[in-house]
């Protein structure tokens, strides 16, 4: 597999406009390409939706024949430095690259912002049915049983919020 190409903020600004309010990248008119390229792409939305390993959809923009995820690319476009860890989408939507929706995150914080797993039957993260009652767990620790899924979810929400703060997704 090839290495990620070098890209400076100035090169990125010469190629693309990033719209903070919408999270969209738009191709700019360029002098370093054939006129046909400008006729086909300049002024148009850059990138495509792609499914990430492990599920979820993210917007990618191909630059120098390399697929850059739009979240980290937006971070680099605005700040001039690549994120030291990951870029988390606050709303959990990898296609929403609005500046207000992006924040740096560790792997653990990013994972805390995931919703319930696909095989979750209770509808609440950290809640499962056990012996006719709803059991709440957080990071492998038993929190308690409750009569309703909503009550058990409140236990999970309290523990997750205390541990992960603003990164905690509880539903």
């Amino acid at each position: 597999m090839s290495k990620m190409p070098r890209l400076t903020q100035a090169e990125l600004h010469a190629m693309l406009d990033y719209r903070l309010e919408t999270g969209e990248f738009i191709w700019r008119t360029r002098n370093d390409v054939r006129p046909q390229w400008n006729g086909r792409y300049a002024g148009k939305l850059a990138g495509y939706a792609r499914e990430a390993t492990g599920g979820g959809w993210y917007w990618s923009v191909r630059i120098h024949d390399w697929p850059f995820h739009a979240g980290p690319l937006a971070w680099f476009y605005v700040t001039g430095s690549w994120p030291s860890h990951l870029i988390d989408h606050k709303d959990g939507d990898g296609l929403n690259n609005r500046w207000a929706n992006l924040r740096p995150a560790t792997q653990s914080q990013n994972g805390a912002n995931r919703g319930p797993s696909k095989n979750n039957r209770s509808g609440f993260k950290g809640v499962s049915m056990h012996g006719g009652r709803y059991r709440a767990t957080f990071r492998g620790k038993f929190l308690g049983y409750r009569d309703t899924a909503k009550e058990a979810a409140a236990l999970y929400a309290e523990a997750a919020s205390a541990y992960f703060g603003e990164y905690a997704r509880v539903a």
Side-chain angles (χ1 to χ4, degrees):
M1 180 165 206
S2 62
K3 286 175 34 176
M4 182 172 83
R6 285 188 177 273
L7 181 65
T8 67
Q9 187 185 36
E11 287 175 309
L12 184 58
H13 283 223
M15 290 183 217
L16 294 162
D17 284 322
Y18 170 64
R19 298 182 178 161
L20 281 77
E21 309 80 32
T22 64
E24 296 173 324
F25 283 96
I26 306 297
W27 289 113
R28 298 182 71 164
T29 300
R30 296 169 50 191
N31 296 327
D32 63 333
V33 295
R34 297 185 327 202
Q36 294 90 337
W37 187 95
N38 283 322
R40 185 171 184 183
Y41 296 107
K44 296 192 174 134
L45 183 65
Y48 54 96
R50 99 182 210 187
E51 190 170 10
T53 307
W57 288 86
Y58 292 89
W59 197 257
S60 289
V61 179
R62 191 168 276 285
I63 300 171
H64 301 314
D65 206 29
W66 186 270
F68 287 89
H69 282 283
L73 194 63
W75 194 266
F76 180 62
Y77 189 96
V78 173
T79 69
S81 61
W82 291 102
S84 58
H85 294 291
L86 300 171
I87 292 297
D88 182 56
H89 295 79
K90 292 177 187 177
D91 66 0
D93 180 359
L95 299 173
N96 179 2
N97 291 293
R98 291 174 178 86
W99 183 248
N101 191 45
L102 303 177
R103 61 186 172 188
T106 64
Q107 186 81 33
S108 180
Q109 289 168 327
N110 188 256
N113 193 24
R114 288 192 189 109
S117 67
K118 291 177 184 176
N119 62 355
N120 179 299
R121 294 184 196 174
S122 72
F124 296 97
K125 193 172 176 183
V127 176
S128 60
M129 182 64 97
H130 187 75
R133 297 187 76 201
Y134 290 93
R135 175 175 57 185
T137 57
F138 176 71
R139 298 179 59 87
K141 181 181 175 192
F142 172 74
L143 300 175
Y145 290 107
R146 295 296 182 266
D147 292 327
T148 69
K150 193 171 185 178
E151 291 170 346
L155 288 177
Y156 174 85
E158 184 179 340
S161 295
Y163 192 85
F164 287 115
E166 68 176 292
Y167 290 87
R169 176 174 295 214
V170 296

